[in-house]
Structure formats: structure tokens, C-alpha cells
Amino acid sequence: MAKLTKAQRKAHAEAEAILTKDRLSEDEQDFVFQNWHEGANHISGASGAFFTPWGLAADFSIDAASAGAKVIDLCAGIGILSYFLHHRAKYTNNCPDLTCVEVNPRYVEIGRKLVPEARWICADVFDWREELKGERFDVAVSNPPFGSVKRSGNGPRYRGRLFEFHVIDIAAELADSGAFIVPQRSAAFRYSGMPCHQRVETGPAVNYQKLSGYQLHEGAGVDTSFYKDDWKDTSILCEITCYEFTEDRARQGRVQKRLSGQPVPALPHRPAEQLALR
Ligand SMILES: C[S@@+](CC[C@H](N)C(=O)[O-])C[C@H]1O[C@@H](n2cnc3c(N)ncnc32)[C@H](O)[C@@H]1O
């Protein structure tokens, strides 16, 4: 468990007190998001549970713009990414239809109070086939655990050690597009905290692209280094990466058709097994 400062302990206790209420005002929800400390009673590092800082989650919602869309938030924590998607869209009267999947029951309990608009599923993301039973989404979002965190399974194609690519791989099966917060080394570019944008030609993101055919896109250009010191119990450089899964499948289909002269299976969705490049 993290060692909290006196001020952090006090604010966390206040957030806990607020959470005993059945319904929270928007101000109370904001307070809990900013002050409930994931390291107070849980070992954040072991489960990769570092929640997205407030300001970064607000910026992320630009890249995951999803007014009116059916959205799945994978490894949702207490729901900060979904919270901003809802609140960004609410003045348009076109809020997204949100589903949050999170394995920690306490986080789900809190999430239900902070983002009551979402459907909350307390489940392991690797059980997505049983839990979501063929459902399709327009957009997937995630700030998943980073790196070699313990997991119960694999994505449909990816067999590496990086949790974030397993989640992206699952998202590709569930949604047409996705926006993800990943450690900088897992992006195919370096932008945050750098003097200029740089595309990289090697590394895990490029390998995943070769494996899956899904191309990583830069988002709107959020420099996440601005929030580097706002994470609780960690300080990390990350990037926001975006994927257009259905568009890429269509492109792959057209290429395959050109090469083989054969008709390709109906789009938009083909099961992972057909796409596996071994
Ligand atoms: C880096 S935190 C981010 C939480 C939230 N997305 C956010 O942006 O604040 C990752 C979350 O993934 C959850 N998690 C870890 N393994 C999981 C799994 N197998 N299935 C679902 N959630 C998982 C953790 O409990 C934690 O809440």
C-alpha cells in the first residue's frame, strides 16, 4: 500500500465519507475522482491500477470523441475516462451509451456512484466472449495496466507480455475504433515531452501492427508529459494511440481481393481466427 501524506489521507477519508451516500452531486463526484486514492487500501502496482489523472482524462475525451456512440471502457477503474466522455457530450443531448468493464469489485461499486449513466460489468476483461456475448461497440477506450502485469489470458492474436496490447487486441474484436492510453514505449511515435513529433520504425507497436494489420494513429496531439506528475504513486510518460479497426479490416480485405482475385468475406467484421498472421 502506498504511503499517503497527511493531506492525501484526509482527502481520501473525505472521499470515502462521500461514497457512503446513495447519490452523489457532480461536485462530489469530481471530489472523489480527484481525491479517492487507489493506493490507500490496494497495492496499485501489482494490478497496474494507476488511475488516469483528471486533466489527462479530460484531454483524452477529445481523442475518444463519441457523442451518441456505443462505447466500451475496458479496465475502467472507477470510470474517469467514461465520466469525461459522458460530460463532454451531455450539452449536445447526445450522450454515449457507456459500458464499463472492471475486475475489482470495490472499483465497480465506486464507479457505479461516479458514473451511474454507465452499465458496469464486474469481470475479467479476458472473459470478454462470455461477458459481452457477441455485442458490438462503435468505440473502445482504455487506460489498461501497463507492461508485464499478471493476467488470466491472451488477446485473440497477441501472445506477447505487454498487457496493453492484449487489451487493444480484444478491443479490435469488440469495436470499430479505439483510443488508448499506453506507455510511450508502446506507441509507434514519440511526442509527449519531446521537442518534436517522431515516428518510430521498431518496437512493440510496430510489431503489433505487423501481426494484426491494425495501424496505430496519433490522436489530436495531447502532450501527456503535462500530467506526468499528476498520477498518484507513479510518474509516467505515456501517449494516446488511436486505431480504426473496421476501416483497416476493410482495407485488408481489398488488398486480399486484389492479390487473389477472390471475393472476400462480408465486412465489417471478421473473426480473429481469419485474421491471425502467424
Ligand atoms: C491503469 S488502471 C486505469 C483505470 C481507469 N481506466 C482509468 O483510466 O483511471 C487499470 C485498471 O485495470 C483493472 N484491471 C486489471 N486487470 C484487469 C482485468 N483482467 N480485467 C478487467 N480489469 C482489469 C485494474 O483493476 C485497474 O482498475
Side-chain angles (χ1 to χ4, degrees):
M1 270 169 299
K3 197 165 167 11
L4 274 56
T5 63
K6 202 171 161 194
Q8 283 174 323
R9 263 203 318 277
K10 183 168 175 281
H12 178 78
E14 257 178 72
E16 284 282 14
I18 290 172
L19 285 167
T20 58
K21 298 183 182 181
D22 286 338
R23 286 172 69 88
L24 272 54
S25 68
E26 206 174 305
D27 283 350
E28 289 170 330
Q29 290 169 337
D30 293 3
F31 184 87
V32 174
F33 271 125
Q34 296 187 63
N35 294 290
W36 193 84
H37 199 299
E38 61 270 34
N41 303 308
H42 298 95
I43 303 168
S44 314
S47 56
F50 298 105
F51 297 159
T52 308
W54 180 256
L56 178 55
D59 283 357
F60 176 83
S61 66
I62 303 168
D63 278 324
S66 54
K70 193 170 171 202
V71 179
I72 181 130
D73 184 344
L74 298 166
C75 304
I78 58 173
I80 195 160
L81 300 183
S82 287
Y83 180 79
F84 275 101
L85 294 183
H86 174 79
H87 284 274
R88 179 172 284 277
K90 77 177 178 193
Y91 300 107
T92 65
N93 273 337
N94 197 14
C95 288
D97 172 1
L98 297 162
T99 299
C100 295
V101 181
E102 165 59 47
V103 76
N104 183 319
R106 177 63 180 146
Y107 297 167
V108 171
E109 199 184 339
I110 296 173
R112 287 195 170 116
K113 292 194 175 173
L114 299 180
V115 197
E117 300 81 9
R119 168 175 61 141
W120 280 87
I121 301 176
C122 187
D124 185 334
V125 80
F126 291 97
D127 294 336
W128 59 281
R129 283 195 172 89
E130 302 89 84
E131 296 292 337
L132 297 163
K133 299 214 171 41
E135 261 188 85
R136 291 284 301 159
F137 298 85
D138 301 307
V139 183
V141 296
S142 186
N143 167 12
F146 292 172
S148 305
V149 170
K150 197 164 168 247
R151 57 176 201 281
S152 65
N154 288 314
R157 288 154 287 254
Y158 181 69
R159 293 291 176 270
R161 64 182 181 83
L162 303 177
F163 202 115
E164 57 270 26
F165 285 104
H166 288 284
V167 171
I168 292 171
D169 208 27
I170 291 169
E173 292 307 292
L174 291 168
D176 290 341
S177 65
F180 307 91
I181 297 176
V182 297
Q184 193 172 59
R185 63 172 184 274
S186 289
F189 63 91
R190 305 282 178 267
Y191 175 66
S192 297
M194 297 290 162
C196 62
H197 175 278
Q198 233 185 327
R199 198 77 197 171
V200 294
E201 303 301 335
T202 56
V206 176
N207 295 344
Y208 180 68
Q209 190 168 311
K210 285 183 191 150
L211 170 78
S212 66
Y214 298 127
Q215 275 182 18
L216 181 156
H217 303 277
E218 293 85 351
V222 173
D223 183 340
T224 71
S225 69
F226 196 70
Y227 306 106
K228 191 165 158 272
D229 299 322
D230 293 352
W231 297 78
K232 297 190 186 90
D233 289 342
T234 189
S235 167
I236 188 156
L237 259 188
C238 47
E239 302 287 4
I240 297 175
T241 61
C242 302
Y243 289 84
E244 293 293 338
F245 302 121
T246 297
E247 248 180 61
D248 284 355
R249 274 195 290 273
R251 189 174 38 77
Q252 287 169 25
R254 285 193 299 274
V255 170
Q256 191 184 327
K257 186 177 174 189
R258 259 207 314 278
L259 292 176
S260 67
Q262 298 297 312
V264 290
L267 295 169
H269 188 61
R270 293 161 58 204
E273 289 71 24
Q274 292 180 28
L275 289 166
L277 307 176
R278 294 177 205 283

